[in-house]
Amino acid sequence: MESATAVPTQTPSTSTLESFNPATGELVGSVPTIVPEEVQGVVDDVARIQPAWAELPTKTRAAYMRRAADALLDDIDEIAELLTKEQGKPRAESYTMELLPTVDALHWCAKQGPKILADEKVPMTQAFTLSKKGRFSYEPIGVVGVIAPWNYPWSIPFGEVAIALMAGNGVVLKPASLTPLLGERIAKVFEKGGLPEGLVRVVHGGGRIGDALCRSSVGKVFFTGSVDVGRKVGEVCAADLKGSVLELGGKDPMIVCSDADIDNAISGAVWGGFANAGQTCSGIERVYVMRDVADRFTEGVVREAEKLRVGNPIEWDTEVGPMTSEDQYGIVVDLIEDAVASGATKRCGGPVDPPGLASGRYIAATVLTGVTQEMRIMSEEIFGPVLPIVVVDSEQEAIDLANDSEFGLGASVWTKDRQRGARIARRIESGMVWVNDHSFSHGACQCAWGGVKDSGLGRSHSKFGFYECVNIKMNAWEPGLTRDFWWHPYDQTLGEAVKASAKILYGKGEVRAKALREGAGPLLKIGRRTLQKRR
């Protein structure tokens, strides 16, 4: 995943950031950059606009979300083409993995947001709170910062921006330096939907701008990127006592049980491992397959991987596009070569030069066998179209190996036995587990997204994503007909009454009966006190 410290391709004389097509090397466009000292001013501008937006009823904000969805649909073909040209994912994936999920997310926010953000009654059921009323209210934080990755430069930040807006916040978005034009289009979609101009602002200028955004007065930061940079983001936010949601990548395991539908598992492994050229934080990066079905599964994965068409992603039939950056290409090739040098067998794939493409760095879908847990490729995030397959002898071995990772984003279990799938899922250390599927829930905004261990902190999407974008306030009301019994004066009578109350309310049998007998006097005295407003 992109490091927030990536250096932009910048022309100093014009202070612009240029974006290039990873498939062809052609210039796609450019955007103006700013310097770190200007970031706080942008946040201040959004903060001046945000209060009026927050005052709108949630149903009115929901109407704007629907209008933004209409605006996105109006321009969907144009944005899909930009996605493919700027990021390099196959054209079909621009629709399926980026655009359709965000249209749906806007409608989900519009439908469910008012319900999730509505005041929630807090039942007051204890004997000493029966006269009181309570409710939770969900109030906007103010301005939320979003630092986006380059691998899903549309759907990841778009969903976070949409939920933050629906919750009543303003947003400052810092796109990845490799995909700045898409960040600009996100803001334009919301502006076209009629949201107040300037409620969503976009800033560019590399990692130093992301750092300045974290150090600004934004109330929270959503960051998607590397573990090292994510830790720094969390530290900076914590120093200012503000929250952060960190999605820091993964090393997702796939466990294939003996009773799995092998053909389905093969198809799932090929898509989960090679979609977006493997540049997916929740992509399948490790496969643990039971020995009795290993040969059939492995041969099937190799067969289907060899069928995947590598080429210019603008062509409709391309299934594996280029690596988005030269650096990421180098990382993936190095991991493949290291694994082979350490004893793994490359069954198919590796670096290729598709016909007719003079530029671009391409890696065909690569399957490795004979892999061991000690190899770098089994512990480091690959982030490329590489699928290592390991043969195991038991369910327990598969679970142990799946959990033997610093990451814990997602995982999948493949079995026809629903109870077995649920049992294994409970034992896997991850934020999401899918049985007989993989990663799909990022496209369903009602599902929480986030990981454990080095995969990050917090959750995006779902009601929990809304909770990340608000201050949760406890509101209580008391009619004041009596005063609380625990108020002054303190004396033995109060102590005896409280002790008797605890045993009467929560004790059993003789304990309760004895408390009723011995505590009656103190309880009556305290009861009379509560009717007196003054000491």
Side-chain angles (χ1 to χ4, degrees), residues 17-20 26-31 86 180-181:
L17 177 65
E18 295 179 328
S19 177
F20 296 91
E26 297 173 341
L27 179 67
V28 182
S30 62
V31 295
E86 189 171 43
L181 302 177

Side-chain angles (χ1 to χ4, degrees), residues 256-258 260-267 289 293 296-297 416:
V256 183
C257 299
S258 298
D261 182 325
I262 298 301
D263 289 336
N264 191 49
I266 290 168
S267 295
V289 58
V293 295
R296 179 184 166 195
F297 172 83
K416 294 177 183 177

